[in-house]
């Protein structure tokens, strides 16, 4: 009723208070639970009355019958007579303990998954940076090697060209032509490698 005195209850509520309905009717929350919890119940009743509308809240309670601790989702609804007089407040609760545990478990999994994704992303970024650094080192190596090889190769082909001017026998000219062709071919390969390293 408006003063917090119980007018009726169901068997589940009897189980909560650890008393039969006849022992509950005519008494208040203060007769069965701690003052702190009773104040909480009473405040929710009064909020529903003041709002003249249903009020929902969550409350952790311990069943007197077996000591089981559960989370209840409770809706408090003010009740009126046909002529508008306040009869009291109807409270309807349902056990949402398992639902809350499931939500918390999902939240833990979500957090863990985000952590795994973040770690994996970081690892991939490091691997990418290492791969890019290795690629730059390879390109630098190719460019340096191309220059190092091309310089003496130019000297070889240049010398073959100069030797041709001195009127050598045909057999030696053939050999110089082979040296020159091989040198030119190798120079083309080196230039291609150098071009590739520039592109990279």
């Amino acid at each position: 009723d408006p003063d917090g005195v119980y007018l009726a209850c169901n068997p589940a509520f009897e189980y909560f208070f650890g008393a039969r309905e006849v022992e509950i009717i005519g008494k208040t929350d203060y007769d069965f639970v701690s003052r702190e919890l009773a104040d909480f119940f009473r405040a929710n009743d009064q909020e529903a009355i003041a709002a003249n509308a249903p009020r929902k809240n969550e409350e952790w309670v311990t069943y007197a019958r077996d000591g089981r601790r559960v989370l209840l989702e409770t809706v408090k609804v003010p009740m009126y007579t046909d002529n508008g007089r306040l009869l009291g407040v109807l409270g309807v609760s349902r056990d949402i303990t398992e639902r809350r545990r499931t939500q918390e478990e999902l939240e833990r999994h979500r957090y863990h998954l985000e952590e795994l994704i973040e770690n994996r992303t970081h690892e991939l970024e490091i691997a990418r940076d290492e791969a890019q650094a290795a690629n730059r080192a390879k390109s630098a190596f190719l460019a340096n090697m191309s220059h190092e090889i091309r310089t003496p190769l130019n000297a070889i082909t240049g010398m073959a060209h100069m030797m041709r001017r001195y009127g050598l026998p045909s057999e030696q000219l053939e050999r110089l032509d082979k040296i020159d062709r091989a040198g030119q071919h190798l120079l083309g390969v080196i230039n291609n490698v150098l071009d590739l390293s520039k592109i990279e």
Side-chain angles (χ1 to χ4, degrees), residues 31-178:
D31 296 307
F32 298 96
V33 297
S34 69
R35 173 163 287 283
E36 182 183 3
L37 188 56
D39 286 344
F40 178 71
F41 290 161
R42 190 74 187 119
N44 288 324
D45 292 344
Q46 290 170 337
E47 283 179 20
I49 292 169
N52 194 23
R55 302 284 293 179
K56 184 169 23 175
N57 66 278
E58 293 180 358
E59 47 202 36
W60 281 100
V61 300
T62 303
Y63 278 81
R65 186 75 53 89
D66 61 8
R68 185 167 46 104
R69 188 155 173 77
V70 298
L71 178 63
L72 298 177
E73 182 180 74
T74 301
V75 177
K76 299 286 182 84
V77 182
M79 305 292 287
Y80 297 90
T81 62
D82 290 340
N83 61 7
R85 183 177 64 83
L86 178 66
L87 281 173
V89 177
L90 171 66
V92 179
S93 299
R94 65 181 177 138
D95 184 349
I96 61 166
T97 313
E98 197 55 41
R99 185 178 80 185
R100 177 57 55 85
R101 281 194 191 115
T102 302
Q103 286 173 342
E104 288 172 355
E105 186 68 20
L106 285 172
E107 185 62 25
R108 277 194 298 276
H109 284 301
R110 185 186 67 77
Y111 175 76
H112 182 63
L113 185 59
E114 286 177 355
E115 197 175 55
L116 285 175
I117 290 170
E118 189 175 308
N119 288 341
R120 186 64 182 138
T121 302
H122 181 65
E123 289 169 5
L124 289 171
E125 286 171 352
I126 289 171
R128 179 204 62 203
D129 292 345
E130 288 174 352
Q132 288 174 344
N135 194 48
R136 284 192 298 272
K138 180 200 71 175
S139 297
F141 172 77
L142 286 175
N144 289 337
M145 286 304 295
S146 297
H147 285 297
E148 292 296 322
I149 294 170
R150 194 163 54 171
T151 301
L153 193 55
N154 279 331
I156 291 168
T157 55
M159 286 299 284
H161 181 69
M162 285 177 61
M163 288 171 70
R164 221 183 253 110
R165 291 182 178 176
Y166 294 110
L168 296 172
S170 62
E171 188 179 317
Q172 287 184 350
L173 283 174
E174 262 183 52
R175 289 177 183 155
L176 282 175
D177 286 342
K178 286 181 183 176

